Amino acid sequence: AQSVTQLGSHVSVSEGALVLLRCNYSSSVPPYLFWYVQYPNQGLQLLLKYTTGATLVKGINGFEAEFKKSETSFHLTKPSAHMSDAAEYFCAVIFSGGYNKLIFGAGTRLAVHP
Amino acid sequence: GAVVSQHPSWVICKSGTSVKIECRSLDFQATTMFWYRQFPKQSLMLMATSNEGSKATYEQGVEKDKFLINHASLTLSTLTVTSAHPEDSSFYICSARDGGGWDASYEQYFGPGTRLTVT
């Protein structure tokens, strides 16, 4: 079955440290891939997306993600965490034949410590 | 950038009453809008897909008679929770696409959400 998995419901890093949030999908056909950020009691904001083309995608706020077909992964990274990065992060996928429906992972809560 | 608004941002209602939530695309036309439900500390679950001028398509397990969706114009979709009960308490989020057809590269823009509490 097609699914999207985020490894780690909570990730904690120190300010200035590398941020790595993991996302894997299960599908024989590469889907469209998205990362969203949600701040408390707010809607979602798109960080970046991969549809076609270059597999390393750069997004807003210094985030980037790399689509690795062989690993069915789309991990989100940021070289240096900032306190303002503390939020909930969702990986989302539109599977081929999925009628453009976004399927969300369970989410990862990122905490950034001074 | 594209902005989606929701009204109200929060609402408290008594059990048995109905509540209407509005979702508006402020600076673009949205041929398709989506309604999601989010429980505390959980992910978003798609409830239904709404296309302007046609009936909404509901996900499996979502009661269409309980969650009435109307997409009467290219900038407005409404979700009405009928005969609300405490278990309907949740965070409801809408999104809108700025393009039509099946091209999934069109971005979805999300509203800020509406927190519904049913007492």
Side-chain angles (χ1 to χ4, degrees):
Chain A
Q2 297 174 326
S3 64
V4 55
T5 303
Q6 289 184 243
L7 186 62
S9 58
H10 290 82
V11 170
S12 181
V13 301
S14 298
E15 191 173 19
L18 171 72
V19 175
L20 171 61
L21 305 182
R22 301 178 185 273
C23 175
N24 288 86
Y25 66 89
S26 175
S27 174
S28 59
V29 178
Y32 289 168
L33 298 149
F34 306 80
W35 275 100
Y36 287 89
V37 61
Q38 184 182 33
Y39 297 99
N41 295 313
Q42 295 186 28
L44 275 68
Q45 181 181 11
L46 180 67
L47 284 175
L48 46 79
K49 67 178 181 182
Y50 170 78
T51 54
T52 59
T55 56
L56 181 61
V57 182
K58 295 187 183 298
I60 63 171
N61 301 339
F63 285 94
E64 63 181 36
E66 185 172 12
F67 167 57
K68 293 187 177 180
K69 182 178 178 181
S70 61
E71 299 177 6
T72 61
S73 68
F74 191 57
H75 301 331
L76 181 71
T77 60
K78 182 174 181 177
S80 178
H82 192 272
M83 296 295 288
S84 62
D85 294 327
E88 186 85 20
Y89 291 81
F90 292 97
C91 178
V93 171
I94 296 178
F95 291 108
S96 175
Y99 301 102
N100 297 325
K101 294 191 294 188
L102 272 171
I103 306 300
F104 285 87
T108 298
R109 182 165 297 277
L110 175 66
V112 182
H113 300 286
Chain B
V3 178
V4 175
S5 69
Q6 281 184 242
H7 179 79
S9 56
W10 61 270
V11 57
I12 301 173
C13 71
K14 293 186 176 181
S15 184
T17 62
S18 296
V19 174
K20 180 183 286 187
I21 301 170
E22 293 186 349
C23 176
R24 293 181 184 274
S25 57
L26 298 185
D27 50 3
F28 66 99
Q29 293 186 330
T31 54
T32 305
M33 289 184 170
F34 303 86
W35 286 95
Y36 297 85
R37 183 173 181 177
Q38 185 180 31
F39 291 103
K41 302 185 186 302
Q42 294 188 30
S43 189
L44 282 75
M45 299 298 294
L46 180 65
M47 298 175 65
T49 302
S50 167
N51 291 294
E52 185 265 338
S54 62
K55 291 183 178 181
T57 301
Y58 291 81
E59 294 301 299
Q60 191 172 8
V62 177
E63 299 177 60
K64 62 181 181 181
D65 293 331
K66 181 170 188 58
F67 298 99
L68 301 178
I69 292 173
N70 183 276
H71 193 164
S73 77
L74 287 173
T75 60
L76 173 64
S77 177
T78 60
L79 167 67
T80 301
V81 183
T82 63
S83 186
H85 288 91
E87 57 265 31
D88 299 324
S89 298
S90 190
F91 195 51
Y92 292 88
I93 301 175
C94 74
S95 71
R97 283 205 328 162
D98 64 350
W102 298 113
D103 187 344
S105 64
Y106 283 107
E107 182 173 340
Q108 286 188 33
Y109 299 96
F110 286 80
T114 296
R115 184 162 302 283
L116 170 64
T117 301
V118 184
T119 61

